[in-house]
């Protein structure tokens, strides 16, 4: 970083989209894989194609309680003229012409049977059963492979496994699965004022590193949560250099242009600064760079600015390192109840709380119910951690807008809802 930047501050700031693109160009997807138990694979990224080694179900099964029959034996059956068949014991292996076997939902259909009559349409009379419905071939029968065919492609590489996916994998007989190793992300909190507990005058308990490392884990990475490094260029250089074997290095604090903001100079000395200063609020002093092929994300020290920038830059970097794209955050439509100010040309993230409005009167159309209300938090400073911890999400004011008016319908990004 040049001396000019120290004197001039951030007169020119990079747009968020351009800054993100520059960072992602520096991220190399991790291509190493490991085998893990299916039960432990929730949220992991599939490393290679997964094909079903067996069909599901592996046999023709009854789709409901009743009697397994040959459909041809029921032709013409009705309430006035039931088909009379010989009753076979439950769980019989085979059904001959003129026979019926008791079956339960999910049980195997005996050999020879090709349909199931609902229990409600059958009456047992001694060693016989009266069938009051004609059934067609295959009626009320789930065929083998109906759910998953033998050899069917279940998942492609890059798919993020969900709990329902794990159930599917187990159902086809898989106990293990090949997944990509999670990207290693070194989290280095910096600042001579940071302490672990019992802060004195001028001291602050370290929270950014903890928050960021847990976000990294939620976003699919493996965090190396390091000890605090003081504001000393040699100590910072040593700390960052020691973790350049990681897939991403992230620092918190010291990213601006003050006398104690040394991280940009350290990054520039080890490699190159790609972006310093982004048109984003809160948190424009973010610094993005790389050294020895490793992307470095330097987040501002103010807690809210740190979180906002982590969501905008670190999250997509972690996802890219994992070999997947960062999906947009889920949103909820709401009505803004107070004006939100914003500087034109700057993307602003306004923290809000959501409150549901009273439901419509019982005789009113439910579609007339009002949207929930989004209330901007009154604490707007980027150092007020509670303003984001107690918020439900944030409203994004795009660069062309000079704020949002009360009463506008907005999308609230629920940034903590999903990985």
């Amino acid at each position: 970083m040049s001396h000019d930047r120290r004197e001039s501050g951030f007169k020119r700031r990079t747009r968020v989209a351009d800054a993100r693109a520059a960072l992602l160009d520096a991220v190399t997807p991790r291509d190493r894989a490991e085998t893990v138990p299916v039960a432990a694979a929730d949220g992991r990224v599939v490393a290679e194609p997964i094909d079903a080694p067996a069909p599901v179900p592996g046999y023709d099964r009854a789709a409901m309680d009743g009697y397994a029959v040959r459909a041809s034996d029921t032709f013409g059956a009705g309430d006035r003229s039931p088909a009379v068949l010989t009753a076979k014991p439950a769980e019989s292996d085979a059904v001959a012409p003129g026979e019926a076997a008791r079956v339960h939902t999910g049980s195997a259909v005996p050999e020879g049977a090709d349909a199931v009559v609902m229990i409600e349409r059958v009456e047992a009379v001694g060693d016989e059963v009266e069938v009051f419905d004609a059934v067609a071939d295959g009626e009320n029968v789930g065929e083998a492979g109906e759910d998953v065919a033998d050899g069917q492609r279940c998942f492609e590489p890059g798919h993020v496994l969900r709990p329902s996916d794990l159930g599917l994998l187990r159902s086809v007989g898989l106990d293990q699965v090949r997944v990509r190793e999670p990207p290693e992300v070194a989290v280095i909190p910096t600042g001579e004022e940071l302490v672990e507990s019992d802060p004195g005058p001028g001291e602050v308990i370290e929270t950014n590193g903890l928050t960021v490392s847990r976000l990294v884990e939620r976003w699919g990475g493996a965090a190396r949560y390091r000890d605090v490094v003081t504001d000393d260029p040699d100590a910072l250089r040593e700390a960052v250099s020691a973790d350049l074997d990681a897939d991403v290095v992230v620092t918190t604090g010291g990213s601006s242009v003050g006398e104690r903001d040394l991280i940009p100079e350290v990054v520039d000395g080890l490699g190159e600064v790609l972006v310093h200063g982004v048109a984003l609020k809160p948190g424009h002093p973010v610094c993005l760079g790389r050294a020895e092929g490793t992307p470095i994300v330097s987040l501002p020290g103010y807690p809210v600015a740190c979180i906002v920038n982590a969501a905008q830059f670190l999250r997509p970097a972690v996802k890219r390192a994992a070999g997947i794209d960062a999906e947009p955050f889920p949103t909820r439509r709401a009505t803004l109840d107070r004006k939100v100010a914003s500087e034109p040309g700057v993307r602003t993230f306004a923290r809000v709380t959501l409150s549901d409005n009273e439901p419509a009167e019982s005789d009113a159309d439910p579609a007339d119910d009002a949207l929930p209300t989004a209330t901007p938090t009154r604490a707007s400073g980027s150092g007020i951690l509670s303003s984001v911890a107690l918020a439900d999400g944030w409203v994004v004011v795009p660069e062309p807008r000079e704020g949002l008016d009360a009463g506008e319908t907005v999308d609230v990004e629920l940034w903590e809802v999903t990985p």
Side-chain angles (χ1 to χ4, degrees):
M1 182 181 65
S2 69
H3 181 68
D4 290 343
R5 173 54 65 86
R6 280 284 176 91
E7 291 183 346
S8 62
F10 297 103
K11 289 184 177 179
R12 290 191 303 173
R13 290 175 284 184
T14 305
R15 290 173 61 90
V16 173
D18 295 335
R20 186 184 294 127
L23 173 64
L24 293 182
D25 282 344
V27 178
T28 301
R30 190 181 184 98
D31 59 2
R32 294 187 291 276
E34 60 183 345
T35 300
V36 301
V38 166
D42 184 28
R44 301 296 297 272
V45 180
V46 174
E48 56 190 33
I50 302 176
D51 297 331
V56 179
Y59 52 86
D60 290 349
R61 61 185 177 186
M64 57 182 58
D65 290 354
Y67 279 82
V69 299
R70 292 174 181 249
S72 59
D73 287 338
T74 70
F75 289 170
D79 289 333
R80 294 183 178 181
S81 57
V84 180
L85 306 176
T86 301
K88 295 275 290 184
E91 309 302 329
S92 295
D93 293 332
V95 168
E99 294 181 337
R102 183 78 165 89
V103 292
H104 302 278
T105 302
S107 63
V109 173
E111 184 179 350
D114 54 23
V116 173
V117 182
M118 296 169 56
I119 191 65
E120 296 89 342
R121 301 301 294 162
V122 175
E123 184 175 341
V125 182
D127 293 335
E128 297 179 327
V129 293
E130 296 180 346
V131 178
F132 298 96
D133 264 347
V135 289
D137 186 356
E139 189 167 342
N140 300 323
V141 173
E143 295 183 352
E146 180 183 52
D147 191 352
V148 182
D150 186 15
Q152 178 179 324
R153 177 63 47 85
C154 295
F155 302 110
E156 297 285 357
H159 177 76
V160 180
L161 292 170
R162 305 161 298 179
S164 58
D165 299 332
L166 307 187
L168 177 61
L169 293 177
R170 289 295 295 272
S171 75
V172 299
L174 293 174
D175 294 320
Q176 296 182 319
V177 61
R178 290 285 287 174
V179 294
R180 293 174 184 165
E181 292 183 2
E184 295 281 342
V185 181
V187 181
I188 307 172
T190 75
E192 62 184 33
E193 77 282 6
L194 300 181
V195 295
E196 293 298 325
S197 61
D198 301 321
E203 295 179 330
V204 180
I205 293 179
E206 199 290 304
T207 60
N208 286 336
L210 171 64
T211 301
V212 170
S213 62
R214 296 292 76 81
L215 287 173
V216 165
E217 300 282 348
R218 177 173 290 190
W219 295 332
R224 307 174 184 173
Y225 181 19
R226 301 308 195 192
D227 292 335
V228 174
V229 181
T230 191
D231 294 321
D232 174 79
D234 293 331
L236 292 169
R237 188 177 303 107
E238 180 180 354
V240 173
S241 297
D243 271 316
L244 288 179
D245 63 324
D247 295 288
V248 181
V249 172
V250 54
T251 64
T252 65
S255 67
S256 191
V257 293
E259 290 299 322
R260 291 164 57 185
D261 293 301
L262 304 174
I263 287 293
E265 290 181 344
V266 168
V267 173
D268 196 41
L270 293 172
E272 63 176 321
V273 171
L274 302 172
V275 173
H276 190 202
V278 178
L280 173 152
K281 184 178 181 180
H284 66 267
V286 67
C287 177
L288 309 174
R290 63 182 167 196
E292 298 182 13
T294 300
I296 302 174
V297 180
S298 299
L299 302 172
Y302 281 128
V304 180
C306 178
I307 291 172
V308 169
N309 278 278
Q312 299 307 305
F313 300 108
L314 180 59
R315 176 177 178 263
V318 172
K319 297 290 188 180
R320 173 66 61 86
I324 57 178
D325 293 327
E327 295 292 332
F329 289 116
T331 61
R332 187 176 181 189
R333 300 284 280 175
T335 302
L336 196 62
D337 74 344
R338 285 210 307 270
K339 180 180 176 61
V340 172
S342 179
E343 176 186 348
V346 174
R347 186 175 301 184
T348 299
F349 294 78
R351 288 86 73 193
V352 299
T353 58
L354 289 171
S355 58
D356 289 321
N357 292 291
E358 291 296 322
E361 298 295 332
S362 58
D363 59 348
D365 184 345
D368 291 335
D369 284 355
L371 292 171
T373 297
T375 302
T377 59
R378 293 189 180 277
S380 59
S382 61
I384 309 300
L385 179 56
S386 63
S387 71
V388 67
L390 301 180
D392 294 303
W394 51 52
V395 175
V396 182
V397 184
E399 288 90 343
R401 292 291 302 272
E402 189 174 355
L404 301 173
D405 294 325
E408 283 198 51
T409 299
V410 295
D411 289 322
V412 179
E413 286 193 353
L414 310 177
W415 67 276
E416 281 194 299
V417 170
T418 57

